[in-house]
């Protein structure tokens, strides 16, 4: 590898070096122009850069266009039930701290049917990356209103326009106890998308990443103009935030400085209306992780277990 | 005892210290308002009896509310203990002796037909002197009614006697009562003292001493004042016995199966199994996860199982309903998993604390589409232990969820059984992390028996994406008609393959006869007892008890054909012929009967009811007598 013999090198070398393609499997079946494609290739790149062992990596999803994601990964995958990716992912991680766990979920999957699990998964704060593909519409079932749809969204369930204000996934997540990482990015800004997912993968807890995602089929208007206009985004900038190459940073028309340890400011930025804020809203690496509790007594031998049970049975024995 | 006086105070003290009458068994109840320690008293009485080598069955009497008002008729909280010279397998029929801390709670039990003419009621008499006139009146009226009903009443100055030892009789009266009944039934004083020391082992010595003093006081008072006492000879027990309830047995079975995760959401009457695990599991290498709801509980368990740590989820009716979609996924994607459903009265929230066997058809068929999975029903507390171990093994061997159906009766019933000899082969081994053979597909269904092996995350070359969508052998989403047909066949054939390994069920009684009673789950003891009594009266009746409900044990049709009539006995709802509106055409059968009729095309009848009570041997015996025209 690299023309070097492993014994000539003092740093341990991985047995094989995997390229981004090594993480890909099956041609993605999303519509042309769907935001899913760029997210997928970005995730392949992050996996490559982290050199995740594919056999030690699990992508868990629910049901929806976005939830097809695991089928396009060469890792292990779990494409489960609508709304239930979180409990499955948490169960995978609980007694398997050696696995890298990702959750891929849609706005209906996470913020509607799975909303209860979403709240609790944030609170469990287990080490995993959550990618919320938010296209503000139900894609797979063909254009119904989503909890994140803007008021007035014309859909098949609200032909005269939806009537309720949208739920704000960033604000909601920020309000949950034990939240430890909240970021926002978009599918059409590959550099920011990469830097965000990469930062999320490095975080020692649950990192929640909302990806503002284009659905050219059912939400053509919403993000099409935004994607073409560099002025549609506001970059949240900080040394502890999502750090971009200065040349790329310059392409943002709106930049505000935001310290990701400041949750109150994060809440203010989450309410930004004119532009889409992207960056790291909040990070706290100190919060407790429920997976540490789950794994605290791993590895007992059968003989040890049997002996412990025998001791317990003594209390029940005449 | 026949001549028990109406008031102990008036009794001629020359009667004291009578020599004991030898009896086969006793059914004793202690009832009170909740929080008075009746259950602790009865559990101790049961444990002492088990230690003396008696057969024991204990069942709690639970009010539906946590804190029902004091002295209310529905508020009866307490315990029934059946102690015998032989193995005791059920709660029996009417009680022989009842200790009541107030007279009102007896009404609830009377309406449940717990007592009969001649039942001895030992009643706290402080209410006769109550400052409140209405209480004095209630007390006098109740006693008059009890007398009318033919119960033998003995008024006991429990409060007065306790106050000689403690300042607050409310605390500790239960131990005084324990002393009294231990005298009545000739329980060994030393073993009783040891039991009390055990209960209060975490408390100060002062508290232990005062409780022992209360016990002794009750014991001596009974000796001096009562003109009856008994002896219940012990059986010879060779092996060590453990004493526990069905939920504790489930918990021990979980640990002894090597399962390392119980993922649950609290629900009566299942919760105490998880409580027990929460107390002990960590030392046996496991953890309890309390999820945010039942859906999450099973999803979490499935995640762990998928990752190689087969998990258990424990629930009851409403929880099973919520888990349904995930059970379908586990069937579809062939994820091993153990699901315990401690049945309670349904539908909906139903009767949370009461027994029912109403979830058999839900376990079989609740999922949409065809979702075959293994369903087992332990019939004893000992089986609750062993069946979890079996379930974990079957789940992995057949790559399937396994549902264990127990019920509130098994969950709270306490019984001694031979101490399990923990066998290392019961335990799940470490997760296989060796490289997967690259050319083996994740659902490489054996053409004949449908079985396949699954890769586990961490295994190189085994990577696949599990899906609940129709899929092919490579776990690729597949909508081709052939592929769907084939995968359904594979999942069904696994069950057939498992069925072929099952043994024909054994019959209690003759192989042929006039009536065969078929039961499942917690009714075993009551059915067997009734059948044995009926056989002693000359009835040609036998019993068969099913443990495997899906797939069913083999040979049923052939066995059934040897009896003139086959009838299930179940604790669930069925229509009765002759009731208004009910015709042979529209009659709805009890669940096992319904299912066996469909399976065997035989005219199987049923006897079932939903009084929220365990099946009693007397009720089954009456039914047999009626069916076979025995007077
Ligand atoms: C229990 C259940 N209810 C409904 C559905 C149908 N369903 C599938 S995906 C979906 C919504 C998808 O929207 P979203 O989660 O936003 O994902 P997208 O397709 O937009 O990526 C619905 C309602 C289902 N599969 N399961
Ligand atoms: S419908 Fe929308 S979200 Fe779904 S694949 Fe097509 S573009 Fe993507």
């Amino acid at each position: 590898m690299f023309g070097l013999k492993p014994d000539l090198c003092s740093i341990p070398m991985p047995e094989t070096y995997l390229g981004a393609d090594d993480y890909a499997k099956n041609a993605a079946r999303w519509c042309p122009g769907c935001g899913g494609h760029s997210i997928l290739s970005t995730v392949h790149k992050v996996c490559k850069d982290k050199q995740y062992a594919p056999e030690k990596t699990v992508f868990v999803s629910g049901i929806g266009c976005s939830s097809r994601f695991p089928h396009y990964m060469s890792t292990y995958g779990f494409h489960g039930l609508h709304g239930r990716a979180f409990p499955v992912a948490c169960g995978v991680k609980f007694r398997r701290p050696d696995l890298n766990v990702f959750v891929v979920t849609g706005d209906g999957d996470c913020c509607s049917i799975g909303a209860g699990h979403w709240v609790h998964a944030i609170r469990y704060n287990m080490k995993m990356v959550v990618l919320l593909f938010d296209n503000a519409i139900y894609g797979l079932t063909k254009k119904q209103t989503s909890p994140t749809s803007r008021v007035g969204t014309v859909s098949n369930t609200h032909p005269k326009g939806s009537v309720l204000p949208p739920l704000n996934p960033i604000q909601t997540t920020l309000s949950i106890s034990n939240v430890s990482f909240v970021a926002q990015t978009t599918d059409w800004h590959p550099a920011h998308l990469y830097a965000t997912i990469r930062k999320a993968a490095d975080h020692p807890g649950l990192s929640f990443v909302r990806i503002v995602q284009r659905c050219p089929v059912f939400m053509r208007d919403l993000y099409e103009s935004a994607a073409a206009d560099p002025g549609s985004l506001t970059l949240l900038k900080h040394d502890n935030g999502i750090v971009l190459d200065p040349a790329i940073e310059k392409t943002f028309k709106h930049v505000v400085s935001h310290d990701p340890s400041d949750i109150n400011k994060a809440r203010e930025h989450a309410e930004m209306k004119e532009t889409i804020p992207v960056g790291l809203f909040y990070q706290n690496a100190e919060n407790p992780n429920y997976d540490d509790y789950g794994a605290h007594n791993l590895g007992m031998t059968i003989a040890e277990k049997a002996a412990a049970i025998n001791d317990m049975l003594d209390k029940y024995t005449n | 005892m026949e001549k028990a006086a109406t008031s102990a105070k008036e009794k001629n003290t020359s009667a004291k210290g009578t020599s004991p009458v030898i009896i086969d068994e006793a059914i004793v109840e202690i009832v009170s308002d909740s929080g008075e320690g009746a259950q602790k008293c009865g559990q101790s009485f049961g444990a002492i009896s088990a230690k003396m080598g008696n057969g024991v069955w204990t069942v709690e009497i639970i009010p539906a509310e946590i804190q029902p008002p004091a002295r209310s008729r529905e508020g009866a909280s307490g315990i029934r203990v059946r102690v015998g010279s032989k193995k005791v397998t059920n709660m029996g029929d009417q009680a022989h002796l009842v200790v009541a801390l107030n007279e009102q709670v007896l009404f609830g039990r009377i309406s449940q037909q717990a007592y009969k003419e001649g039942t001895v009621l030992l009643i706290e008499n402080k209410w006769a002197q109550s400052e409140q006139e209405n209480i004095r009146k209630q007390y006098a009226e109740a006693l008059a009614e009890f007398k009318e009903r033919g119960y033998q009443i003995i008024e006991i100055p429990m409060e007065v006697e306790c106050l000689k030892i403690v300042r607050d009789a409310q605390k500790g009266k239960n131990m005084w009562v324990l002393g009294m009944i231990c005298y009545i039934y000739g329980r060994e004083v030393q073993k009783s003292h040891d039991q009390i020391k055990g209960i209060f082992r975490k408390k100060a010595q002062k508290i232990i001493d005062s409780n022992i003093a209360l016990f002794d006081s009750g014991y001596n008072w009974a000796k001096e004042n009562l003109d009856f006492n008994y002896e219940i000879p012990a059986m010879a027990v060779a092996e060590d016995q453990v004493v526990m309830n069905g939920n504790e047995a489930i918990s021990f079975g979980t640990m002894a199966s090597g399962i390392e995760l119980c993922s649950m959401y609290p629900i009566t009457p299942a919760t105490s199994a998880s409580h027990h695990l929460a107390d002990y599991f960590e030392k046996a290498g496991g953890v309890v996860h309390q999820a945010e709801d039942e859906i999450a509980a099973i999803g979490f368990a499935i995640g762990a199982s998928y990752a190689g740590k087969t998990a258990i989820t424990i629930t009851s009716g409403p929880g099973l309903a919520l888990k349904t979609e995930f059970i379908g996924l586990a069937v579809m994607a062939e994820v091993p998993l153990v699901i315990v459903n401690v049945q309670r009265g349904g539908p909906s929230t139903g009767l949370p604390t009461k027994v029912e066997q109403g979830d058999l058809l839900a376990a079989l068929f609740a999922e949409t589409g065809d979702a075959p999975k293994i369903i087992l029903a332990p019939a004893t507390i000992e089986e609750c232990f062993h069946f979890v171990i079996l379930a974990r093994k079957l789940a992995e061997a057949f790559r399937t969820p396994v549902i264990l159906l127990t019920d509130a009766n098994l969950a709270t019933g306490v019984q001694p059984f031979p101490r399990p000899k923990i066998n290392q082969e019961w335990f799940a081994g470490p997760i296989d992390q060796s490289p997967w053979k690259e050319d083996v597909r994740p659902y490489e269904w054996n053409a004949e028996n449908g079985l396949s092996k699954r890769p586990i995350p961490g295994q190189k070359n085994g990577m696949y994406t599990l899906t609940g969508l129709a899929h092919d052998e490579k776990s690729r989403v597949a909508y081709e008609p052939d592929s769907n047909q084939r995968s359904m066949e594979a999942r069904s054939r696994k069950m057939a393959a498992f069925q072929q390994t099952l043994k024909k069920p054994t019959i209690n009684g003759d192989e042929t006869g006039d009536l065969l009673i078929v039961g499942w789950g917690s009714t075993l003891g009551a059915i067997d007892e009734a059948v044995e009594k009926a056989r002693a009266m000359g009835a040609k009746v036998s019993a068969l008890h099913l443990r495997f409900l899906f797939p069913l044990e083999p040979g049923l049709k052939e066995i059934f054909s040897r009896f003139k009539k086959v009838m299930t006995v179940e604790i669930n709802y069925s229509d009765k012929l002759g009731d208004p509106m009910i015709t042979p055409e529209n009659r709805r059968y009890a669940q096992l009967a319904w299912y066996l009729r469909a399976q065997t095309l035989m005219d199987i009848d049923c006897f079932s009811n939903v009084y929220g009570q365990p099946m009693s041997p007397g009720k089954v015996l009456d039914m047999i007598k009626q069916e076979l025209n025995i007077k």
Side-chain angles (χ1 to χ4, degrees):
Chain A
M1 204 181 338
F2 312 125
L4 290 174
K5 284 198 192 126
D7 56 350
L8 289 177
C9 182
S10 59
I11 353 168
M13 284 291 192
E15 276 173 49
T16 45
Y17 183 81
L18 298 169
D21 287 352
D22 292 323
Y23 292 92
K25 188 163 141 187
N26 305 327
R29 300 254 208 102
W30 292 307
C31 309
C34 174
H37 296 288
S38 77
I39 304 171
L40 179 65
S41 56
T42 304
V43 170
H44 289 159
K45 232 186 289 166
V46 171
C47 287
K48 179 207 76 174
D49 290 346
K50 296 284 288 183
Q51 282 297 295
Y52 285 136
E55 71 274 12
K56 290 276 192 187
T57 305
V58 185
F59 279 79
V60 182
S61 65
I63 297 289
C65 293
S66 37
S67 289
R68 282 299 182 96
F69 197 96
H71 290 282
Y72 310 138
M73 297 297 301
S74 68
T75 61
Y76 280 92
F78 192 114
H79 177 206
L81 298 181
H82 190 33
R84 318 296 173 197
F86 285 113
V88 171
C90 293
V92 169
K93 187 73 182 173
F94 200 56
R95 299 290 281 178
R96 291 296 306 268
D98 56 318
L99 300 176
N100 314 303
V101 177
F102 286 77
V103 173
V104 178
T105 179
D107 39 294
D109 203 57
C110 173
C111 309
S112 191
I113 189 169
H117 308 313
W118 167 31
V119 170
H120 290 278
I122 297 297
R123 190 171 148 250
Y124 298 148
N125 192 31
M126 296 168 78
K127 292 171 214 94
M128 58 180 67
V129 175
V130 176
L131 304 175
L132 167 60
F133 287 39
D134 192 349
N135 56 6
I137 195 79
Y138 283 16
L140 191 72
T141 45
K142 300 193 168 30
K143 203 175 188 186
Q144 295 83 23
T145 310
S146 147
T148 61
S149 300
R150 290 187 184 174
V151 194
T153 296
V154 172
S155 74
N156 286 321
T157 40
H158 296 100
K160 293 183 189 155
S162 64
V163 291
L164 292 173
L167 185 149
N168 180 332
I170 295 290
Q171 197 66 282
T172 305
T173 306
L174 283 170
S175 75
I176 300 165
S177 319
N178 212 30
V179 58
S180 74
F181 184 107
V182 183
Q184 179 154 277
T185 183
T186 78
D187 72 63
W188 63 84
H189 202 298
H192 193 267
L193 180 65
Y194 172 84
T196 308
I197 299 177
R198 179 66 208 257
K199 178 106 183 162
D202 291 337
H203 172 70
L206 186 146
S207 17
F208 180 83
V209 180
R210 176 183 182 228
I211 305 171
V212 177
Q213 182 217 352
R214 286 169 299 172
C215 170
V217 177
F218 297 124
M219 262 291 167
R220 177 161 280 282
D221 306 337
L222 186 56
Y223 297 126
E224 196 168 60
S225 51
D229 172 15
S232 65
L233 305 178
T234 294
L235 180 68
L236 305 182
K237 184 188 157 177
H238 197 273
D239 288 348
N240 297 333
I242 311 295
V243 179
L244 297 175
D245 187 291
I248 292 171
E249 213 177 278
K250 275 198 198 114
T251 65
F252 283 88
K253 282 204 179 145
H254 312 289
V255 178
V256 296
S257 167
H258 170 64
D259 176 353
S261 67
D262 186 346
I263 198 161
N264 292 323
K265 262 275 177 287
R267 287 179 178 140
E268 267 175 46
H269 293 313
E271 290 304 323
M272 212 176 272
K273 288 285 183 300
E274 304 299 309
T275 59
I276 302 167
V278 293
L280 182 57
F281 281 82
Y282 182 64
Q283 183 173 20
N284 177 352
E286 305 302 314
N287 283 358
N289 305 108
Y290 188 51
D291 36 344
D292 293 345
Y293 171 70
H296 80 277
N297 61 352
L298 271 178
M300 273 179 75
T301 64
I302 291 176
E304 286 167 341
K305 292 178 184 178
I309 297 167
N310 266 321
D311 279 353
M312 300 169 199
L313 279 176
D314 285 348
K315 286 194 201 142
Y316 287 79
T317 305
N318 280 327
Chain B
M1 173 169 138
E2 289 296 285
K3 298 263 149 29
T6 51
S7 167
K9 277 182 291 182
E10 299 160 10
K11 201 185 310 288
N12 176 352
T13 45
S14 69
K16 68 186 170 183
T18 48
S19 59
V21 178
I22 295 180
I23 54 174
D24 283 347
E25 69 157 20
I27 300 176
V28 181
E29 285 192 4
I30 301 132
V31 285
S32 66
D33 287 334
S34 59
E36 294 191 288
Q39 288 170 354
K40 182 140 289 164
C41 172
Q43 279 154 359
S44 307
F45 182 65
I48 296 161
S49 299
K51 285 190 177 139
M52 288 178 63
N54 287 113
V56 177
W57 183 277
T58 314
V59 59
E60 289 170 10
I61 299 161
I62 308 165
E65 294 156 45
I66 303 281
Q67 284 289 354
R71 291 175 52 78
S72 72
R73 293 189 171 203
E74 308 73 34
S77 165
I79 191 157
R80 166 180 282 211
V81 189
R82 187 180 185 195
V83 178
S85 284
K86 286 188 288 190
K87 185 173 173 187
V88 179
T89 60
N90 64 81
M91 63 149 200
D93 296 305
Q94 283 84 19
H96 302 123
L97 181 136
V98 182
V99 181
L101 300 196
N102 75 63
E103 77 295 343
Q104 291 301 311
V105 288
L106 289 169
F107 284 106
R109 297 296 292 154
I110 289 168
S111 71
Q112 289 161 355
Q113 294 160 3
Y115 312 140
K116 61 182 174 193
E117 248 188 85
T119 295
V120 178
L121 307 182
L122 305 174
I123 304 178
E124 162 70 87
N125 72 0
K126 72 169 179 179
W127 310 106
Q129 272 85 49
S130 171
E131 283 163 17
Q132 294 177 45
E133 195 199 325
N134 69 323
I135 290 184
R136 292 198 302 274
K137 190 162 158 255
Q138 277 180 345
Y139 182 78
E141 283 171 3
L143 262 60
E145 185 180 334
F146 299 159
K147 209 171 280 174
E148 189 98 329
R149 287 174 175 271
Y151 306 141
Q152 298 191 54
I153 301 161
I154 306 178
E155 296 177 75
I156 311 258
M158 303 180 200
E159 180 100 354
V160 173
E161 291 297 320
C162 288
L163 287 175
K164 293 177 183 168
I165 294 161
V166 287
R167 224 174 296 151
D168 179 4
Q170 226 34 40
K171 291 205 184 96
K173 199 186 276 182
N174 60 342
M175 290 296 123
W176 192 91
V177 170
L178 180 64
M180 175 172 70
I181 56 177
C182 280
Y183 165 76
I184 296 175
Y185 292 103
R187 305 293 89 183
E188 283 173 34
V189 172
Q190 191 52 49
K191 286 205 162 73
S192 309
H193 283 182
D194 290 346
Q195 180 69 24
I196 296 171
K197 285 177 201 158
I199 300 173
F200 297 103
R201 65 182 178 279
K202 289 182 187 157
K203 297 276 163 67
Q205 187 62 36
K206 225 171 65 189
I207 296 186
I208 297 176
D209 292 345
S210 118
N211 278 289
I212 287 183
L214 282 158
F215 173 91
D216 289 346
S217 160
Y219 191 96
N220 292 327
W221 185 91
K223 193 169 174 183
E224 283 158 26
N225 292 282
L226 297 177
D227 61 358
F228 59 92
N229 63 331
Y230 305 102
E231 188 184 322
I232 313 168
M235 17 175 217
V237 268
E239 297 167 280
D240 272 355
Q241 303 278 306
V242 287
V243 185
M244 63 180 72
N245 69 31
N247 274 356
E248 289 165 341
I250 294 278
S251 164
F252 272 115
T254 303
M255 294 188 271
S257 73
I259 285 175
E260 292 184 354
L261 170 65
C262 167
S263 176
M264 51 74 71
Y265 187 78
I267 184 164
T268 306
T271 319
S272 66
S274 310
H275 288 177
H276 191 268
L277 277 171
D279 280 342
Y280 290 96
F281 210 5
E282 305 242 331
K283 291 207 178 84
V287 191
V288 173
H289 166 60
Q290 180 182 333
E292 59 269 24
D293 59 35
E294 281 91 348
I295 299 175
I298 187 173
F300 198 99
I302 286 175
S305 289
Y306 163 79
K309 295 274 185 188
T310 301
I312 191 168
T313 183
I314 306 180
T315 191
S316 187
L320 184 72
L322 285 178
K323 290 178 200 287
T324 303
E325 193 190 8
F326 257 128
I327 296 175
L329 174 73
V331 171
M332 181 66 148
E334 305 189 48
V335 183
L337 176 71
V338 180
I339 301 151
V340 177
N341 179 32
V342 185
Q343 297 166 99
R344 65 190 225 179
S348 190
T349 313
L351 293 170
T353 60
K354 307 284 188 199
V355 63
E356 197 174 301
Q357 298 180 309
D359 300 347
L360 173 59
L361 294 180
L364 277 162
F365 302 125
E367 300 76 31
T368 50
D370 185 48
K373 81 230 41 108
I374 295 174
I375 303 172
L376 308 178
T380 64
I381 288 166
E382 182 177 13
E383 286 178 4
C384 286
F385 173 85
H386 290 284
F387 277 30
V388 184
I389 297 162
L390 176 65
R392 201 272 306 159
K393 291 206 167 194
L394 293 175
E396 288 178 8
F398 291 89
R399 215 176 157 177
T400 179
V402 177
I403 299 183
L404 275 186
L405 293 173
T406 72
D407 64 35
N409 186 28
L410 284 174
T412 57
V414 176
Q415 192 189 31
F417 62 88
R419 175 174 169 143
K421 296 185 180 58
I422 303 299
N423 181 337
Q424 303 210 1
E425 287 181 7
W426 292 345
F427 291 78
I431 302 177
D432 185 1
Q433 294 286 275
S434 62
W436 185 257
K437 265 183 57 207
E438 210 153 348
D439 53 344
V440 178
R441 284 155 290 178
Y443 294 95
E444 195 155 304
W445 294 299
N446 178 294
E448 214 163 284
N449 62 27
L451 290 168
S452 59
K453 283 216 166 62
R454 65 186 184 123
I456 289 170
Q459 288 193 285
K460 273 190 181 166
N461 311 328
M463 287 83 81
Y464 74 108
T465 290
L466 176 149
T467 177
L469 283 159
H471 48 270
D472 63 12
E473 294 205 340
K474 288 186 169 167
S475 197
R476 287 180 310 202
V477 177
Y479 299 121
E480 297 79 17
D482 281 354
S483 165
N484 195 45
Q485 176 71 22
R486 184 167 142 55
S487 58
M488 290 282 199
E489 280 167 5
R491 291 189 293 270
S492 188
R493 293 231 190 111
K494 292 194 294 198
M495 298 294 132
F498 172 51
Q499 192 267 352
Q500 301 213 348
T501 68
L502 296 177
K503 288 200 208 88
K504 226 172 165 175
T506 53
I507 296 173
N508 176 7
D510 292 339
E511 301 279 316
T512 58
D514 294 335
L515 178 64
L516 176 71
I517 292 184
V518 185
W520 64 286
S522 72
T523 52
L524 173 69
I527 294 174
D528 280 353
E529 190 172 324
V531 163
E532 278 148 30
K533 279 188 185 148
R535 291 176 62 79
M537 300 162 93
K540 290 196 170 94
V541 57
S542 302
L544 182 156
H545 214 73
L546 292 170
R547 266 82 173 179
F548 294 87
L549 292 160
F550 193 84
L552 277 169
E553 291 157 52
L556 296 182
K557 188 161 181 167
E558 189 276 320
I559 294 171
F560 293 175
S561 67
R562 293 191 247 125
F563 290 84
K564 287 194 186 131
K565 181 165 186 175
V566 179
M567 200 161 185
T568 67
V569 166
E570 308 178 53
I571 311 171
N572 52 37
Y573 183 75
S574 62
D575 291 329
K576 281 161 209 65
L577 275 181
D579 278 358
M581 301 295 149
I582 304 305
T583 67
E585 196 179 40
N586 69 15
R587 178 185 180 197
R588 295 171 63 245
Y589 284 83
Q591 301 199 359
L592 179 63
W594 188 98
Y595 175 40
L596 291 177
R597 288 169 72 87
Q599 285 286 318
T600 62
L601 293 180
M602 294 171 90
D603 192 8
I604 293 160
D605 202 350
C606 58
F607 171 76
S608 76
N609 51 52
V610 283
Y611 298 111
Q613 296 294 314
M615 189 56 73
S616 69
K619 289 227 172 73
V620 180
L621 183 60
D622 288 348
M623 180 277 286
I624 296 172
K625 285 183 180 166
Q626 200 184 335
E627 286 292 324
L628 300 180
N629 269 318
I630 299 170
K631 295 276 140 47

